[in-house]
Amino acid sequence: MKYPATRRLALAWLASLACSGTTALAQAQAWPAKPIRLVVNFAPGGAADVIARAISPQLSLALKQPVVVDNKPGAGGNLGSGEVAKALNDGYTLLLSSGGAITINPLIYPKMGFSPEKDLASVAAVSRVLVFLETNPSVPVNSVQEFFAYAKANPGKLSFGSPGQGSSPHLAGEMLKRMARIDAVHVPYKGAGPALTDVLSGQLQFWFDPGPGLKHLKDGKLKLLAVGSAKRSPQYPNVPTLAESGLAGFDADSLFGIYAPAGTPAAIVNRLHDEINKALQVPAVVEVIKGLGAEPAPMSREEFIDRHDKERERFGELVKDLGLKLE
């Protein structure tokens, strides 16, 4: 039977669509057939890096292929995020990122060169990362109230570091400055690891720690004053929140997660989501995450995406008020 030209074109399109769908399904079924690269968009030693190195061995076992962590710090996480956003969507390049680099950076960087919302697929949440207000021991304070008083008596003389502009530790510091009415200088780094080094050395007087510095509390190299979350940390139940300390509503938690290039086959994304959630139940992984003062955060993809919207709303007004824009 001879069909009109438009009908023949439609049939040809449907046939090609069916063929591409079959090809995608076959690729997904064969995946993974080679090592997987897990990009971390911050420097070694930070929370994202520590979590990635805890999860990757479990994913390697489950997927029967090496999952190799590759640190790509820079531009507040945009360098690594952009590299993954532009990678082949075949399931062999993934990203482990803080929530801020995905939800807040588009509000800060007008020329990112990619859109996290459009160019990255949200695969799975991995951890709710808290931030802890810590000082170098040289700062003569032992409580939040003493810290506020000391900072007010020394306006502009205190410096705090962060993993980068727009990161949750940076925004926590800006929230602190505004709500406590203190003046301090922000110093951005390419990750929490380098910032921690300078807090330990005394070059920085305080910071909001996303977890890597907690191991230095026992030997007195850092002093923990408060938790920058809506509620107390289960690991440090006797440490007050800043909300309890007079800064009502203070909450600078961030949700870290794993992403893939947009268009990655749904079968691969779903498999990764399920395996990541299983990894978050492995005691060794839980121990590492809790060692950062964080909490494992297994959830559905729908819940993960919904959290992006809430995080964007929670920090967006602060970013706008600060007039924070970077090239």
Side-chain angles (χ1 to χ4, degrees):
M1 180 183 295
K2 190 172 182 180
Y3 296 109
T6 53
R7 179 79 182 278
R8 290 200 302 272
L9 285 172
L11 290 171
W13 179 80
L14 287 171
S16 66
L17 187 64
C19 182
S20 64
T22 303
T23 301
L25 179 60
Q27 289 175 340
Q29 289 173 338
W31 178 91
K34 61 181 182 179
I36 296 167
R37 179 171 167 243
L38 179 58
V39 174
V40 174
N41 53 355
F42 291 98
D49 178 66
V50 172
I51 293 170
R53 294 182 190 280
I55 288 179
S56 57
Q58 300 303 322
L59 292 180
S60 296
L61 286 172
L63 300 174
K64 297 181 173 55
Q65 289 290 345
V67 176
V68 182
V69 176
D70 185 9
N71 296 86
K72 291 289 180 179
N78 288 342
L79 187 64
S81 299
E83 189 168 315
V84 174
K86 296 169 185 176
L88 290 176
N89 52 7
D90 55 5
Y92 292 102
T93 305
L94 305 174
L95 170 72
L96 195 151
S97 173
S98 66
I102 304 299
T103 60
I104 306 305
N105 280 11
L107 305 176
I108 297 174
Y109 295 88
K111 299 178 181 178
M112 290 177 64
F114 71 100
S115 167
E117 190 172 356
K118 295 178 181 178
D119 299 329
L120 291 170
S122 301
V123 176
V126 293
S127 177
R128 183 175 70 90
V129 175
L130 286 65
V131 289
F132 300 84
L133 176 60
E134 297 167 349
T135 65
N136 180 277
S138 63
V139 181
V141 301
N142 292 298
S143 70
V144 178
Q145 298 306 327
E146 288 181 5
F147 175 75
F148 290 166
Y150 182 78
K152 289 177 180 179
N154 294 275
K157 295 182 181 179
L158 302 184
S159 298
F160 70 99
S162 81
Q165 298 274 18
S167 63
S168 58
H170 170 215
L171 295 181
E174 297 296 346
M175 289 169 64
L176 180 74
K177 287 168 59 178
R178 284 167 157 273
M179 297 175 75
R181 294 183 174 84
I182 64 174
D183 181 18
V185 179
H186 173 234
V187 183
Y189 290 78
K190 290 185 177 181
L196 172 60
T197 298
D198 282 356
V199 180
L200 290 171
S201 71
Q203 187 168 328
L204 300 172
Q205 287 71 51
F206 74 100
W207 78 323
F208 277 92
D209 177 14
L214 294 173
K215 60 180 177 289
H216 297 289
L217 296 177
K218 288 183 179 180
D219 56 15
K221 292 181 180 179
L222 289 174
K223 287 191 287 188
L224 174 58
L225 302 183
V227 183
S229 307
K231 56 185 179 181
R232 294 192 180 197
S233 164
Q235 286 93 317
Y236 299 93
N238 296 323
V239 177
T241 66
L242 283 167
E244 293 173 317
S245 305
L247 307 186
F250 195 106
D251 181 10
D253 285 0
S254 180
L255 189 66
F256 283 43
I258 291 180
Y259 304 82
T264 299
I268 292 176
V269 171
N270 291 336
R271 172 88 186 278
L272 281 166
H273 172 268
D274 293 345
E275 297 298 350
I276 291 165
N277 274 358
K278 290 176 186 176
L280 293 174
Q281 300 174 34
V282 174
V285 175
V286 173
E287 183 180 357
V288 170
I289 291 175
K290 289 194 172 183
L292 293 169
E295 295 293 325
M299 62 182 67
S300 69
R301 289 190 64 227
E302 290 74 18
E303 290 174 312
F304 184 30
I305 293 167
D306 182 60
R307 282 291 298 270
H308 285 119
D309 295 335
K310 291 178 179 177
E311 195 160 298
R312 193 178 295 111
E313 181 180 344
R314 181 156 54 100
F315 288 118
E317 195 62 35
L318 174 63
V319 170
K320 182 179 179 181
D321 289 346
L322 291 170
L324 190 57
K325 290 288 183 182
L326 300 170
E327 293 298 325

